[in-house]
Every structure is written in structure tokens, then in C-alpha cells.
Amino acid sequence: MIAYLLCGAILCTAVIATVAHAQLRDIDSLKSLLRVPDKLTLADSVSVDMLNRLAMLYRLRSSDSALYYAEQAAHIAEQIGYPKGKLYALLTRLSVYGGYNTSTSNLSLIKSTADSAVQLARAMSDQIKADAMLEVGRAYSSRLDKEEGIRMLLEALKSYERLGDKTGMSKAWYYIALVHYTNESYQDALTANQQAARLMQETGNRRSTSIILNNLALCYDALGQADTAISIWKQALSLAEAVDEVQTIWSVTANLARVCLRQQQYSEAERYIARSLEVSKPYPARYASSLMHKGRIHLAKKELQEALRCAEESLRLYQKSQGYAIDECLKLLAEIYAEMGRFKDAYTFQKRYSEFQDSAYTARKAAIVAELQSKYDVEKKNQEIELLRRDRERDAIVRTALLGGVVLTTSLALVIANRFRLKQKAEAEIQEKNLALSAALQEAEHQAAEAHRQRLEAEAQRKVAEDANALKTELLSIASHDLRNPLQSIIGFTLLIKEKYADDKALVTSLEKIERAAERMLRLIHDLLATAALDAGKLTLKQEIVSVDELLHSVVESLQVQAEKKNQVLYLRAESGAKVNVDPDRMREVFENLISNAIKYSGFGKPIWITVENALGCVQTSQNAASGQSGENELVRIAVRDEGEGLSEDDMKRMFGRFQRLSARPTGGESSTGLGLFIVKQIVELHSGRIWAESEGKGKGATFIVELPAVKA
């Protein structure tokens, strides 16, 4: 999610920088005109318009200069009675307060400026009124009230529709889309951007169309429609290249590189990021952003030295230019050092990343406090106005009372008599209610006694149910144990008969069916016995120091035949030298279950990866549990990844439950008891470890991860 918001910020920055660069010559020209001696001393509408134009151009370069020229324009406009000039001065000020250059946190000042602009705009022509409502709506949506801001933007949109102004309509839709995008309402942002792009394309403005298409593609990408986003980004890039729109070229190529990296299309990602670096050289912050993307590509390709060089240079440029993504650069460096095995450096940069995040949170919190304080000041002022109004109304009532004193004196006796009669009636009603209350209290006491009796009865029934459940578990354990020996005998005799009559194909086929059925029943009985032992708390661990690498090599070797039947390859990367204190038989059962599941649910010819690596985390160990601490420990992380059917959202919620059948089906007709993952989770947690699964959705494979406390050398 953070990546999508960053892309939105990049887009807005690109728009601002492009417009500012194009208007630089206008600023120099206007300043030259204003140096003529009689221009600033001559109080006329021409001077006001020139000052307003200069202020509007400066708002993208220097907020202080923009405010200075806007104040001059407003002062002269007030003197000569030129409301249009004053309105545009207010809009410039509002653009600085509520736009990209946030120069004040005084929400009262922003609101009063916005309200004054709206009041002046109401008396202007439809075109001026629409432009004013567009700017006020932007300020409201970014600094004051998003809902009110969207209402104003919609009002501007309707005015543009009446005028047939497609450019204005497109801008209104574009700003509405930005509000939805920052709120993470990506579907609403998509709809608004589609309208903006359609209207801007009809005007033939290729530069603005490329900017809007870039934002439209971001919405598609945020909604998970990467292929559509890539297609639209390519359209935007083509338009931007045609008009030499440098900042949009940079933004689009950076976005394309990011998506191609996510899809592991490394050559395409490198081609796009090279173009992004080429056009962003004059802009240190943008060049740093592109370098960071390039570093991520090298990291994905395991080119760690190049990745480190790009990340370090990106951080240097960000720090020099006070860029907006320093935290992302720190995070990238932590990931690179972790991949290099330099865990101390990785920890240092991860810590800096966390501190940066905390400082950003503190800044946001301070801004929220300032906003609340401002809202409180406005509310307090409104309350004072309301109290003043009430005081005036009370004074008017007093004056009226003095004039009607005679009438009041005459009526007072009647009121007293009426009150006495009402008091007697109220006392009678109170006595009647007291009687009803007493009856209700008795009924409540009776209901409380009945509830206590029912609670005791429920406790007795719960005890009976617990005893019955314990008996069921014990019977299940006995029955399963007595069934296991005959089944093992069946399997053994089947193998002997197969060897003796190996030439009789029909008989061998039938014997293999018997063997598979017996093995399925034996697995089910094994799982039932393990479950019964877990339920009864009788599962005893015989722990010893074990090499994870050696244990996994043994498990993989035992499962090779099962994998070869489906033409699958088991890739094991286990060179960590990690050791754990576990029951080797139980932990072997865990790994056999996870790897055999990957074989079972992966298609023919699909690879399966098993990796072991060291990590840091907060898994509770017996040592720190005894001391009441839960600090950071050294862990061993074992991951089993496949390219099978993957896991749905519903699967993720219930996969570790008892007797759960997930949506995926075995690809070779294998069977499943629905108890394997339940037992695996219980065994891992008995070893003070944890297990979880990750999957991008159906058809995208799954990864099961086990973390166990490491034994220090």
C-alpha cells in the first residue's frame, strides 16, 4: 500500500516540476515589466493582474514569494475596488496554504481565506466561479474536510459542464481522483481518472493526457490489474515522448520498472529504469528514486554489490536533497545486508528505518494535534458568537418582560395555583410508580435466582461433557493403537506376495491397491493417535541438539522417490549450520508433512524449494519464558515453497484446524486426512516455535514457514 501512495506522490511532484519549468520564462518577463518605475505606483487593474500572474507562477517555486506578490495584489485591488483581482489574490494564497507547498498549519486561516474566496466568486461570471470553486475544493480536500472538498469540486465540475469546458471538466475529475487515491478508494479513483483521461484526450492536449494516464495506470495497478496498468503506462510514455514531457517520462518509466520487477521480468525492468535514470539526472531527488529502483532490481537478481552501490548512492542523494523516500532507502539497505549475511549492518539499517518511521509518525501526530487545536479554536469562536446571540435574545426577552410586567403579575397567581394542582397529581403518580417498582424488584430477584440455578446446571453439564470427551479421546487412542498392528501386517504380507508373484501383473496391480488402501488407513490412524495424544496432553518430547541441515537432507532423500513419480525436483538450500534443540522424530514428522504436501499439491514437473536461513525474532523460548522476558532471539527459519494451486483467503483462515479440507486438490490422486497441518502446528508450538503460510492467491503457489529457536554455538 505504501508503494502505491509513494507513486501518487511521485506523480504529483512530476506535474509540479514540469509546469514550473515551463513557466520560468514568464516569471522573468513579468518581473522585468514590474521593474518599470510607474508600474508599482500606478494603482490600476493591470498592475493587479500582473502581480497575481507573478504570484501564481511563483507558487510552484517559492511559497514566500508567491504570498508576497499576492498580498500586494490584494492590497491594490482593495484600494481600487477590483473584486476580481482580490479573488485571484485569495486563490493564489489558498493554493500555497492548501496545495503542494504547505506553508501553514493554521486551519482557521485556510478556512477564512477559502470562505472569502467563495463569497467573492459567487458574484463573478460562471467561468471565474468554476475556476475558484476548483481551487477552493482542492484546498478543502487536502487540508480541511475531504467530503466538503469533493462537494466543491463537483460544483466546479457542473459549472464546467454548463460552459462546455472540457479542460476544466478534466481537471475537476483529476483532482477528485487524487482525493480518492489518497484515501485508498482505488475503484472510485479509477472511475474519476477514466473520466479525466477521456475528456483531456478530446481536447488534444497530449502533455496533460500523458499525466492523467499515468495516474490512471496507478489505479489499475493498485487494484491488482497489472497488465492493464502496463498497457496504459505505455500509452502515456508514447505521448510523453512525443511532446518531450521529461517528468512524465521519468515517472512512467519508474512505474513500469517497478511492475516489471514485481513480475520478475528483469531485462524489461532494467531497460525502463535506464531510461528513467537518463531523464532524471538534472533532478537529484528523482535520480535517487530511480537509483533505488535499480538497486531493487540488482537485489532481485542477487547482484548484491551493485545493489549495495545503488542503494548507498541513492541514500546520499536523498539526504543531500532532503528527499521524501529516505525510509524506503534505509529499508532497502537492510534487505541487501541481510541477503549478504551481514546481519549486524542489516540490523543497524533496520533500526534506522524504524526510527525514521517513528519520527514521521511523531510529525504526523503533531500535525493532527495542530489541526485539532485549530478546529477547537474555530469551535470556541462559534460558541462565543452563539453565546453573544443568546445574550442579545435574553436582553430582548427582559425588555419585553418589563413592558408586560402587569400581565405577568396577574398570571403569576394562576401559575402558582396550577403548579400546586400539578404537584398533587405528580405525588400520586410517584406513589403509583413506587408500587410498580417494588413489584418489578421482586420479579428481578426471582429471575436472578433462576439464572443462578441455570448456571449451576450448565456447569454440571459442562463437567459431564468434559468427562465424555476425555473418555472418547482415550477410546480413540486404544482403538487406533489396536488397528495399527493388523494394518502393518497387511502391508508386510502384501509386499511378500508381490515379490513372490512379481510376474503376475494383474495380481500385482490388485496387491498395490490393497497396499495403498492400507497405507492410507495407517496414515489416518497415525494422525488420530497423534491428535489423541495432543488432546490428552500426553505427547512427550525427547529433545536433543540437532543439525537442521542434516535433518532436512535426510527428509528430502526419503521423499525423492515420491517426487520422482511426478517428475518433480526438490531443491534444498541448507548451508546455515544452524542447530536446534528438538525431538528429532517429531520434527522429522513436521518436515515430512510439509514437503510431502508440496509434492502432493504441485503439478507434474513443478519444482519445490526448501531453504534454511538464520533470522531474528521474538519467538518465546523456555529461557526467556522463565525470566518473564520476550526479547529478540536468534531463530532458524525453514521455508517450503511450491508452485501448486495456492491458497484462497478462506484456506488461510482455517488451514491449521482439525479435519480441514482445503480448496486445493492433490494432483496425482493422493489422499488426505485433514489432520496433518493441525498436528504440525501443535508440534511446532510445543517446541516454542511458530508456523504460518503465505500465498498470493489461487494458482500462485504457497510457502509454509517454520521458525524455531536456534541453539547458540
Side-chain angles (χ1 to χ4, degrees), residues 206-217:
R206 291 187 289 179
R207 186 189 70 82
S208 297
T209 300
S210 68
I211 294 170
I212 297 172
L213 287 176
N214 189 14
N215 211 23
L216 177 62

Side-chain angles (χ1 to χ4, degrees), residues 332-384:
L332 174 60
L333 281 164
E335 293 173 3
I336 294 170
Y337 280 123
E339 189 68 24
M340 286 179 164
R342 293 167 59 177
F343 297 110
K344 182 178 180 180
D345 293 329
Y347 175 76
T348 299
F349 279 98
Q350 183 65 34
K351 185 177 179 182
R352 288 179 61 187
Y353 168 73
S354 300
E355 291 171 350
F356 194 95
Q357 292 282 308
D358 292 342
S359 65
Y361 170 77
T362 303
R364 288 195 299 272
K365 187 175 180 182
I368 292 171
V369 171
E371 179 179 350
L372 291 175
Q373 179 64 42
S374 180
K375 289 183 177 179
Y376 169 75
D377 293 341
V378 172
E379 182 65 23
K380 184 177 179 181
K381 184 177 180 181
N382 291 336
Q383 289 177 354
E384 291 174 351

